[in-house]
Amino acid sequence: MLKRIFAPALCALLLAGCATMADRLRGSLEPPAERGYAIVSLTGKSANPDSATLGMDIANASGRVVAADSASLLTDTVFGEQGKSMAEGKLMLFTLEPGSYRVEQVWANWLEDGAWGVNRKMRSFRLAAPFEVKRGEAVYLGNVEVEMSFLPEARLRDESERDFAHVRRIWKIKDVSGVQLRPLGQAHP
């Protein structure tokens, strides 16, 4: 009897606490006063995506980690245009003070089938990829893709077409023309 009473109440409470990115942004990529946004996708490929988790650390100019986020390949997806391919991972939005930063590292852990059974693998990739955030600006940093295989690696890519489609479809932002394109690892004017 108590389960039937408390289960719906617990579900409602949990759902009320889960504001979506679209709810948070309310149709605008205008950062809060005196801040800027950094947008980056973290995606991965694994033979066992149900067990794979990725994470990213953002450090300031003095090397202190000031922001971090993670993604599960089981539950997180970056959606492109409708009918086009999607990627397992997460499109992340960091609210930062104006200044110089770097994507310090990404990390991954996953299960891998081995000769003696299943093994938990963990790997971090130091990137130290610099970027800058300006007041009132949203900047797109590209995609960090982690390959979780026999020879794990992390690659930087420009996936702006796919990621901007996600911003429009999932975050409900109609106009992305104001987002500055400065993918990590590429020269910028």
Side-chain angles (χ1 to χ4, degrees), residues 10 14 26 28 33 38 43 45-46 49 59 99 114 121 170 179-180 187:
L10 180 61
L14 290 174
R26 297 184 196 163
S28 171
T43 60
K45 294 181 181 179
S46 172
K121 298 287 186 176
I170 308 303
V179 177
Q180 302 301 306

Side-chain angles (χ1 to χ4, degrees), residues 43-54 71-77 87-89 109-113 120 146 148:
T43 60
K45 294 181 181 179
S46 172
N48 294 313
D50 292 356
S51 70
T53 305
L54 304 169
S72 164
L73 298 193
L74 176 63
T75 60
D76 294 316
T77 305
E88 294 170 327
N109 67 60
W110 69 98
L111 295 177
E112 189 174 279
D113 297 325
R120 167 77 49 200
V146 179
M148 292 163 272

Side-chain angles (χ1 to χ4, degrees), residues 21-128:
M21 187 64 75
D23 294 335
R24 181 178 151 203
L25 294 173
R26 297 184 196 163
S28 171
L29 273 176
E30 184 177 326
E34 304 300 316
R35 305 272 193 234
Y37 283 146
I39 302 166
V40 60
S41 57
L42 178 60
T43 60
K45 294 181 181 179
S46 172
N48 294 313
D50 292 356
S51 70
T53 305
L54 304 169
M56 175 182 293
D57 295 332
I58 306 284
N60 63 13
S62 62
R64 191 176 122 247
V65 173
V66 295
D69 202 350
S70 62
S72 164
L73 298 193
L74 176 63
T75 60
D76 294 316
T77 305
V78 181
F79 295 94
E81 293 291 344
Q82 193 155 353
K84 296 210 175 173
S85 64
M86 53 191 122
E88 294 170 327
K90 186 176 188 181
L91 187 62
M92 300 173 172
L93 178 76
F94 296 99
T95 305
L96 300 168
E97 294 180 2
S100 296
Y101 297 90
R102 62 183 180 261
V103 174
E104 189 63 31
Q105 72 171 349
V106 296
W107 54 264
N109 67 60
W110 69 98
L111 295 177
E112 189 174 279
D113 297 325
W116 306 106
V118 177
N119 299 308
R120 167 77 49 200
K121 298 287 186 176
M122 291 185 267
R123 179 78 190 265
S124 67
F125 304 90
R126 186 170 190 283
L127 297 178

